[in-house]
Amino acid sequence: MSNHLAIATVTATLQHILQVAIQYDVEGAAITTVSLNEIGKKTPENGVNLFIYQVTTDPGVQKQDDLWTKEKPIQPTVQQVALDIRCMISFYGSNSELIPQRLLGRVVHTLSRHPVITQTRLQDACANSTAPFLRNSGLASQVQQIKVLPLNLELEKLSKTWSFFSQTPYILSLAYKILVVLAEGDKTPYSENLPIGDRQPVELTPFPSPPRVEQIVAKGGLDKPIFADSTLMIYGHNLKGKAITQVRIGGVGFTPTAVSNNQLTLPLADLPSYVLRVGVQSLQVVHSASSTDRFRSIYPVIESNAMPFVLRPQVIAVGTDHINEADDGMLTGMVTVEVNLAIAPEQRVVLALNEIESERPNAYMFDVPCREQSAHRVMIPIKKVKPGIYLARLLIDGAESQLEMDTDTNSPTYERYIGPRLEIQPLAVQT
């Protein structure tokens, strides 16, 4: 059962689900959660905006109060409320490239195929390092299914709903309802007062305040991906220890370059490569007592909570081998990708290819076969691929490599993705 974080958890989960869905169709598109009148002002160039415009109670779901037997002491009643959430999903971007229509199609396709928000998706959203405020949400434990269903509003009613919340011109939008979300108050556990003992003053050992990590981001902001050469900004409380402060990653402690009570700075480039693992990594702040601390034998080390962050791979080189053409003109062969960090055998690896320089670009995804040892290079068999030039990305345990963008203002491909570039052609025409 969830608490006051129920609505925020639903919003963050939808944002996470749709972000994964749209990123393969429109590069750079993002899922935002701003007010309707802020679309185009505080949003990226292309994207989808989620705006919850109404939350109502559901009278069809009966409240359930905690039941207590006579053997248990009287407990305060915990009220339970069933909520239906209504959400406006809006699509913005270049109309000449039909980006709003393409994003709308992907969102409808995704929500129609997966209308139920599963427990796993809720847990993933709450574990995301960009949303530490959701760590205490209990929505994933709800027994009732949470469904996302289209709300078939006529154009007149849809436009009225839009204009009621925004003074800006209407843009392409859909309305959805999310039901049912159960929220309850916090229980006050029954406890007895400790017995009064000897009133003589005694020397008590101070209980230390452990460090608390709230957020991990790359230097530069929340929207910056984390790579092996990034500098981590670690935010929280009580981060500075009395004697020694370290950051533990992969079971190894490292000294941050800047330390304050609410912020630590750690350049990942200073860490040995064997410590860093592509995908989700766990980080802790560790305080060690000094040799002169009189409580050293009681509290030699104080650890913070473990906070995850996603380390993304970087593609160094990509190429093809043994490309053969079938009778239908489609190609089969091998693609070799080299990345900056070693990939463990148990990690799931996916190759994503997006065709460029084509009026009707094709897109493919191929799983990398199981491997026996860690390596910087993987070989991926591809099949039934149309000849052409592609942008190549590697997804390792869900962590995606970044595409290279053209920053030359005089280039015809300015602000477009240009690499890593992979040409897939029959052997006879490869250059």
Side-chain angles (χ1 to χ4, degrees):
M1 198 70 61
S2 187
N3 46 24
H4 64 284
L5 297 171
I7 300 174
T9 303
V10 168
T11 305
T13 305
L14 276 178
Q15 186 178 21
H16 180 74
I17 292 171
L18 296 181
Q19 183 62 63
V20 174
I22 69 169
Q23 64 186 6
Y24 299 113
D25 292 278
V26 180
E27 293 292 343
I31 304 294
T32 55
T33 55
V34 301
S35 300
L36 299 182
N37 57 5
E38 293 178 330
I39 297 177
K41 301 175 184 177
K42 298 183 179 181
T43 56
E45 182 180 358
N46 304 313
V48 178
N49 188 70
L50 305 178
F51 176 69
I52 291 179
Y53 67 89
Q54 187 179 27
V55 178
T56 59
T57 57
D58 190 333
V61 180
Q62 184 179 1
K63 292 191 301 180
Q64 296 179 355
D65 295 331
D66 283 357
L67 299 178
W68 297 88
T69 63
K70 293 181 180 180
E71 289 74 18
K72 294 186 178 181
I74 298 175
Q75 302 293 324
T77 301
V78 178
Q79 296 296 330
Q80 187 180 102
V81 182
L83 303 175
D84 287 353
I85 301 171
R86 302 202 173 198
C87 178
M88 185 76 71
I89 305 181
S90 306
F91 310 88
Y92 54 91
S94 172
N95 282 301
S96 62
E97 299 180 17
L98 301 179
I99 286 179
Q101 293 84 351
R102 289 157 57 189
L103 293 174
L104 183 150
R106 176 55 65 181
V107 168
V108 171
H109 174 76
T110 300
L111 295 182
S112 62
R113 289 190 61 191
H114 306 285
V116 176
I117 299 180
T118 64
Q119 182 185 51
T120 301
R121 292 185 181 276
L122 291 168
Q123 291 171 339
D124 290 344
C126 293
N128 195 311
S129 61
T130 62
F133 45 84
L134 296 180
R135 68 181 183 274
N136 293 326
S137 173
L139 190 58
S141 63
Q142 175 174 307
V143 176
Q144 290 81 357
Q145 286 188 333
I146 300 175
K147 297 182 179 180
V148 183
L149 303 174
L151 200 59
N152 296 319
L153 300 181
E154 296 179 356
L155 179 60
E156 180 181 0
K157 191 170 183 179
L158 184 64
S159 59
K160 284 183 178 180
T161 303
W162 175 279
S163 61
F164 181 80
F165 292 100
S166 173
Q167 301 301 318
T168 56
Y170 171 81
I171 65 173
L172 185 61
S173 301
L174 290 174
Y176 275 81
K177 57 183 177 181
I178 302 105
L179 67 163
V180 57
V181 177
L182 298 180
E184 69 176 17
D186 295 327
K187 297 179 181 179
T188 303
Y190 177 82
S191 61
E192 296 181 356
N193 294 328
L194 293 175
I196 298 176
D198 190 354
R199 294 181 181 271
Q200 297 297 321
V202 295
E203 182 180 2
L204 299 177
T205 302
F207 190 83
S209 298
R212 180 75 191 177
V213 179
E214 299 287 349
Q215 191 177 52
I216 304 170
V217 299
K219 186 177 182 179
L222 278 171
D223 59 336
K224 300 297 182 183
I226 298 176
F227 298 108
D229 56 356
S230 298
T231 296
L232 293 185
M233 307 302 296
I234 305 162
Y235 300 100
H237 304 286
N238 301 322
L239 297 182
K240 184 177 181 180
K242 292 182 179 180
I244 302 172
T245 301
Q246 286 192 314
V247 176
R248 181 186 294 166
I249 298 177
V252 183
F254 303 95
T255 303
T257 56
V259 179
S260 70
N261 203 42
N262 298 318
Q263 177 180 316
L264 303 179
T265 303
L266 181 69
L268 292 182
D270 295 346
L271 277 58
S273 59
Y274 69 83
V275 174
L276 299 177
R277 177 188 174 103
V278 174
V280 179
Q281 289 216 191
S282 179
L283 178 149
Q284 283 183 292
V285 174
V286 180
H287 295 168
S288 300
S290 66
S291 57
T292 58
D293 193 329
R294 64 192 183 113
F295 297 111
R296 178 182 175 86
S297 60
I298 303 174
Y299 303 117
V301 174
I302 304 172
E303 301 177 348
S304 75
N305 57 304
M307 178 64 69
F309 69 93
V310 178
L311 182 64
R312 294 172 62 170
Q314 293 172 284
V315 174
I316 299 174
V318 58
T320 60
D321 194 12
H322 302 297
I323 301 297
N324 298 308
E325 184 175 11
D327 295 337
D328 57 1
M330 304 299 279
L331 304 179
T332 300
M334 300 291 292
V335 171
T336 302
V337 182
E338 183 178 355
V339 294
N340 61 321
L341 296 173
I343 306 171
E346 69 274 10
Q347 291 188 282
R348 183 171 184 263
V349 184
V350 177
L351 172 68
L353 300 176
N354 293 87
E355 189 179 12
I356 57 177
E357 301 179 359
S358 174
E359 294 183 358
R360 296 183 177 181
N362 290 278
Y364 305 93
M365 298 187 74
F366 299 99
D367 285 320
V368 177
C370 295
R371 303 161 307 282
E372 295 183 355
Q373 58 185 5
S374 297
H376 289 259
R377 182 179 299 176
V378 291
M379 299 185 68
I380 308 104
I382 60 173
K383 58 182 179 179
K384 296 184 179 181
V385 175
K386 176 186 173 184
I389 300 175
Y390 294 84
L391 294 172
R393 290 170 293 146
L394 209 61
L395 290 84
I396 304 174
D397 283 350
E400 179 183 345
S401 64
Q402 192 172 39
L403 295 174
E404 176 188 354
M405 181 175 287
D406 189 352
T407 57
D408 184 359
T409 55
N410 298 319
S411 172
T413 58
Y414 174 61
E415 290 191 337
R416 295 179 60 184
Y417 292 112
I418 57 174
R421 184 183 175 101
L422 177 65
E423 184 175 359
I424 304 179
Q425 300 286 356
L427 292 173
V429 298
Q430 288 185 7
T431 58

